[in-house]
């Protein structure tokens, strides 16, 4: 079965990363969510990637805060797409996580999204878009979602014009 793997560096990341899970559920995309640290449990993380790929993982979403670099560790161990979600934490409020996630060496890509909740949602959407490349039903769901978002914006803007 094809699915998206969500890997968090810490259980404290769950309150944000559940947004990825909710987004995947909204589209009916199967996912697996685990906690595995690139620094505290590197062997577990490496073994998990191999097992997840054998089970059908198509895309990995990796969330970590501070200078932890879970997304990079995943990218080093797979050729599947890896999407990194920097978590807001520490004195730099996620800017260190953003930089450590986005600054990958050439040939070792990590798709990096916004810090925090918006990033968690967008990582799920990107994973869905990747999965939709080979799934026409999922592609239609994405198109319908985009249309409904456009209609909402149109309604919101017409309300503004009425006020003006």
């Amino acid at each position: 079965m094809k699915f998206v793997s969500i890997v968090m560096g810490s259980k404290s990341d769950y309150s944000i990363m559940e947004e990825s899970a909710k987004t995947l559920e909204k589209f009916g995309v199967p996912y697996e969510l685990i906690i595995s640290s690139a620094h505290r449990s590197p062997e577990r993380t490496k073994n998990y990637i191999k097992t997840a790929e054998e089970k059908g993982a198509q895309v990995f979403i990796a969330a970590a805060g501070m200078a932890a670099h879970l997304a990079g560790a995943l990218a080093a161990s797979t050729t599947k797409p890896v999407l990194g979600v920097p978590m807001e934490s520490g004195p730099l409020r996620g800017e260190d996580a953003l930089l450590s996630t986005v600054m990958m060496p050439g040939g070792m890509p990590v798709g990096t999204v916004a810090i925090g909740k918006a990033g968690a949602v967008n990582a799920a959407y990107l994973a869905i878009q990747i999965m939709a490349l080979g799934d026409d039903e999922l592609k239609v769901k994405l198109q319908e979602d985009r249309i409904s978002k456009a209609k909402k914006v149109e309604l919101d803007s017409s309300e503004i014009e009425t006020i003006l």
Side-chain angles (χ1 to χ4, degrees):
M1 171 183 69
K2 294 180 179 181
F3 68 96
V4 174
S5 172
I6 302 170
V7 185
M8 303 175 299
S10 168
K11 67 180 178 180
S12 64
D13 299 333
Y14 180 74
S15 64
I16 296 298
M17 294 313 295
E18 72 178 326
E19 297 301 323
S20 283
K22 288 177 187 176
T23 303
L24 294 167
E25 287 171 6
K26 173 180 159 183
F27 286 90
V29 173
Y31 68 91
E32 185 170 86
L33 191 143
I34 71 151
I35 298 167
S36 190
S37 170
H39 297 98
R40 292 183 296 271
S41 55
E43 285 304 311
R44 178 175 188 257
T45 302
K46 191 172 184 176
N47 291 336
Y48 170 71
I49 294 164
K50 182 179 182 207
T51 302
E53 286 183 327
E54 289 170 357
K55 293 189 309 187
Q58 299 296 297
V59 181
F60 290 90
I61 297 174
M66 300 183 70
H69 200 1
L70 181 57
L74 285 152
S77 298
T78 185
T79 57
K80 303 286 186 187
V82 176
L83 307 172
V85 182
M87 301 304 291
E88 185 175 342
S89 63
L92 299 179
R93 298 185 331 210
E95 289 182 28
D96 50 346
L98 174 64
L99 291 173
S100 68
T101 305
V102 77
M103 295 302 297
M104 291 295 295
M108 194 65 56
V110 169
T112 307
V113 295
I115 297 168
K117 183 178 176 180
V121 171
N122 283 341
Y125 268 97
L126 281 169
I128 294 164
Q129 289 173 327
I130 292 166
M131 302 279 284
L133 292 171
D135 184 332
D136 289 338
E137 184 179 325
L138 194 51
K139 181 181 176 181
V140 169
K141 288 180 183 179
L142 276 167
Q143 290 168 336
E144 290 170 350
D145 181 70
R146 193 64 60 90
I147 289 167
S148 75
K149 282 181 175 31
K151 286 181 182 176
K152 183 180 181 330
V153 170
E154 288 171 9
L155 289 174
D156 290 347
S157 65
S158 70
E159 292 170 6
I160 291 170
E161 290 170 14
T162 304
I163 294 170
L164 297 175

